Amino acid sequence: MEPLSWMLGTWLSDPPGDGTFPTMKPFQYLEEVHISHVGQPMLNFSFNAFHPDTRKPMHRECGFIRLKPDTNKVAFISAQNTGLVEVEEGEVNGQELSIASHSIARISFAKKPHVEQITRKFRLNSDGKLEQTVSMATTTQPMTQHLHITYKKVMP
């Protein structure tokens, strides 16, 4: 798991993240991220977003990041509280992970428009902060940046 070790730790948004999409009002959010390793050939993660003013829970996501042995190929498996389950695949190069949706499933009563594609990029910037950018396409909108957030590590 060495190629992904730069992601390990507990991270807090610093400053709040920005969310935009053509079908919604721009918003900000706080997020706490836990990325850990328990000795298996994968990382465990949880993303917990909160409203910046009320601290009311917003988006939740948890899953695993698997590295294909002896390669830089990565799978990101995620379940979200919105009823979306996704598998994204891509590559880790240095301290950057780029992934794109491979398959997406959703609960039968998921809110429309439905997400059809997702891409994510994680990178450790020169200040030692973790950045995440998420873009998505829905049944009504082409691929568009949706989220951007920067995290500061608070625990190794």
Side-chain angles (χ1 to χ4, degrees):
M1 297 308 301
E2 181 61 33
L4 295 170
S5 63
W6 53 273
M7 297 181 79
L8 289 168
T10 298
W11 305 82
L12 292 178
S13 50
D14 181 33
D18 293 307
T20 59
F21 205 68
T23 57
M24 60 179 64
K25 233 169 86 170
F27 63 95
Q28 288 195 313
Y29 64 104
L30 301 176
E31 193 162 52
E32 184 174 349
V33 177
H34 299 280
I35 302 176
S36 61
H37 182 265
V38 295
Q40 296 175 306
M42 70 192 76
L43 300 180
N44 304 322
F45 69 80
S46 66
F47 294 86
N48 300 298
F50 301 89
H51 189 278
D53 298 325
T54 65
R55 301 285 195 243
K56 188 175 173 183
M58 294 170 64
H59 184 86
R60 297 285 190 265
E61 190 169 348
C62 61
F64 308 95
I65 304 171
R66 293 186 61 108
L67 184 65
K68 184 176 179 183
D70 304 317
T71 74
N72 67 338
K73 305 274 186 245
V74 175
F76 181 93
I77 304 108
S78 167
Q80 301 179 24
N81 66 335
T82 58
L84 194 68
V85 177
E86 52 181 294
V87 175
E88 298 175 34
E89 293 186 2
E91 296 182 342
V92 59
N93 290 300
Q95 294 181 324
E96 184 171 292
L97 172 62
S98 298
I99 49 181
S101 53
H102 177 272
S103 58
I104 296 177
R106 69 188 56 80
I107 57 176
S108 62
F109 51 94
K111 194 168 103 177
K112 292 183 179 180
H114 292 154
V115 175
E116 292 191 324
Q117 270 186 302
I118 297 174
T119 64
R120 294 180 199 247
K121 184 174 284 188
F122 293 93
R123 76 179 194 94
L124 194 65
N125 69 25
S126 58
D127 294 333
K129 292 187 175 184
L130 183 66
E131 290 184 53
Q132 180 183 196
T133 304
V134 178
S135 297
M136 68 179 183
T138 67
T139 48
T140 62
Q141 296 294 321
M143 186 63 75
T144 305
Q145 182 173 312
H146 175 46
L147 305 170
H148 181 263
I149 192 163
T150 303
Y151 311 97
K152 180 172 79 174
K153 188 180 269 193
V154 294
M155 283 180 31

